[in-house]
Amino acid sequence: MSLASVINAARERAYLRDLGRAFAGALIFSIPMLMTMEMWEQGVTMGGVRMLLFFATGLPLLYGLAYYAGFSDRRGLRNDILDTAVALAVGFITAGILLILFGVIALDASPGDAVGRIALQAVPGAMGALLARRQLSGGDDEEDEASYFGELFLMTAGALFFALNVAPTEEVILIAYKATPVHTLALLIVSVILLHLIVFNAGFAGQEESDKPVQAFFHFTLPGYAIALGISLFTLFLFGRVDGHSVEGVVQACVVLGLPASVGAAAARLLV
């Protein structure tokens, strides 16, 4: 056997291992949403425009995760695009199999309903697939340095992932309407404090020195919370949670959803 054949065989085995990790990551990251009734319903009731908007937002985000993490150790534009496509395929396959096993998608279901339910779950699964190498490789991979805007992108990805777990549920709106202005203000303050504490200890670029909490607050915490609120509004709109509500109700819902979104934004560097 030639040296080239041995190298190719080793690469194929490594890729199969990475692919196995990708499926495991997709399962770990997406199973809470796969077992959420509201997500099943949204896959059928969400309009085509909002579904397209979801994918138009999700695809660049997946490519960014492939650039910073990726389920394989291959790098370069071509490989990042390939990793993105494969991760999305992993998300579709994982969601399809599990939704059929859960009985959510019957074998005689209409193609439109089946595709809608699977497609909505595919992006979170693909996110998990792309983060699998970092989370399941035992810490052997070196961390990629990210620029300031790269760190903000990772915060966006973390906020979106956490928000997707909560935004489809009725509880967000219920909490928002039960909350008084005092509750809303307290949630906002707690969200900012949690975000700052996690950011300051999560290894964000430029935060190695522990004597710059003020710089970290203005550089990462405030922009991170603004990102979390923006993602909250986007996901609430995506799932129709702002339809028919007053401006005050929408603001309260954004602050409520901003709590998990801000934690996700802050924890992004712990995942990637």
Side-chain angles (χ1 to χ4, degrees):
M1 184 179 293
S2 66
L3 179 60
S5 299
V6 172
I7 293 174
N8 288 334
R11 286 176 177 172
E12 289 176 3
R13 286 196 298 271
Y15 188 75
L16 289 175
R17 177 200 62 203
D18 293 336
L19 197 58
R21 284 179 185 163
F23 274 101
L27 179 63
I28 292 169
F29 275 72
S30 65
I31 200 164
M33 283 172 274
L34 285 166
M35 301 183 74
T36 300
M37 182 176 64
E38 289 89 349
M39 285 292 282
W40 306 339
E41 295 174 351
Q42 287 288 340
V44 177
T45 60
M46 182 182 290
V49 173
R50 289 183 179 182
M51 185 70 77
L52 287 175
L53 179 61
F54 180 53
F55 272 89
T57 305
L59 289 177
L61 183 140
L62 292 176
Y63 173 79
L65 289 178
Y67 176 82
Y68 285 111
F71 67 84
S72 70
D73 58 2
R74 303 169 305 173
R75 282 297 177 264
L77 176 62
R78 180 169 174 267
N79 287 324
D80 291 340
I81 292 174
L82 182 60
D83 275 3
T84 302
V86 173
L88 196 55
V90 168
F92 270 98
I93 293 170
T94 303
I97 291 174
L98 287 179
L99 289 177
I100 290 172
L101 287 176
F102 295 156
V104 176
I105 297 177
L107 296 179
D108 60 349
S110 69
D113 288 357
V115 170
R117 283 175 169 155
I118 294 171
L120 189 59
Q121 305 275 6
V123 171
M127 292 175 70
L130 288 168
L131 295 174
R133 182 170 64 96
R134 289 297 177 83
Q135 298 305 305
L136 304 178
S137 64
D140 296 331
D141 299 300
E142 296 181 0
E143 181 179 292
D144 291 331
E145 292 295 330
S147 66
Y148 175 69
F149 290 105
E151 297 284 6
L152 294 184
F153 165 79
L154 293 176
M155 295 178 87
T156 302
L160 179 62
F161 181 77
F162 273 55
L164 284 174
N165 277 274
V166 183
T169 66
E170 296 285 350
E171 284 77 8
V172 173
I173 303 301
L174 178 62
I175 294 170
Y177 275 91
K178 285 172 67 71
T180 66
V182 174
H183 288 119
T184 303
L185 180 60
L187 270 175
L188 189 154
I189 293 171
V190 169
S191 298
V192 172
I193 291 173
L194 285 175
L195 197 157
H196 183 67
L197 292 175
I198 299 172
V199 160
F200 201 61
N201 291 280
F204 276 65
Q207 296 308 305
E208 292 83 0
E209 300 179 27
S210 60
D211 59 346
K212 296 182 179 179
V214 176
Q215 178 182 330
F217 183 81
F218 287 103
H219 245 214
F220 290 104
T221 303
L222 286 185
Y225 189 63
I227 288 170
L229 289 180
I231 290 296
S232 297
L233 179 59
F234 171 74
T235 51
L236 288 171
F237 165 77
L238 194 71
F239 295 117
R241 298 304 185 196
V242 301
D243 299 349
H245 295 285
S246 66
V247 173
E248 180 184 358
V250 172
V251 170
Q252 288 176 314
C254 284
V255 173
V256 170
L257 187 56
L259 176 62
S262 62
V263 171
R269 200 19 126 178
L270 300 175
L271 298 174
V272 183

